[in-house]
Amino acid sequence: MAYKISDECISCGACEPECPNAAISEGETVYVIDPDKCTECVGAHESSKCAETCPVDACVPDEEHTESRDALLEKWKKLHPGETPAA
Ligand code: SF4
């Protein structure tokens, strides 16, 4: 399942450079996560970097974008052709 950024976001920008998939960008009012790029950090890290970084816990699972771990890994492979995913 992709992550999303809630209205709690204070637009500090701390999460943006942490995303291994460049899925996070500045939106009109709060930062936003592209669900087509978010892999929950599967393929790169053991846990979701944006959620760990956010000072106000605004990065939360997006219930509208649920995917299996296998699907998330496939998404990561498409985003990083030729690279080897982290274990
Ligand atoms: Fe990026 Fe990981 Fe956050 Fe998804 S969970 S937006 S891949 S940092």
Side-chain angles (χ1 to χ4, degrees), residues 2-3 15 18-24 33-34 37-42 45 47-51 59:
Y3 269 59
C15 58
E18 297 297 324
C19 179
N21 299 339
I24 302 173
I33 294 175
D34 181 348
K37 291 184 178 174
C38 176
T39 62
E40 291 179 45
C41 285
V42 168
H45 303 293
S47 54
S48 298
K49 283 288 165 189
C50 57
C59 301

Side-chain angles (χ1 to χ4, degrees), residues 21-86:
N21 299 339
I24 302 173
S25 60
E26 192 171 4
E28 278 186 28
T29 53
V30 297
Y31 275 69
V32 292
I33 294 175
D34 181 348
D36 291 335
K37 291 184 178 174
C38 176
T39 62
E40 291 179 45
C41 285
V42 168
H45 303 293
E46 281 187 9
S47 54
S48 298
K49 283 288 165 189
C50 57
E52 284 177 16
T53 306
C54 181
V56 295
D57 293 333
C59 301
V60 294
D62 183 352
E63 304 291 341
E64 290 181 10
H65 290 98
T66 57
E67 297 149 291
S68 68
R69 187 177 175 83
D70 283 350
L72 291 166
L73 191 56
E74 282 308 308
K75 193 195 293 189
W76 184 90
K77 287 177 180 172
K78 281 185 186 148
L79 290 167
H80 303 272
E83 293 182 34
T84 304

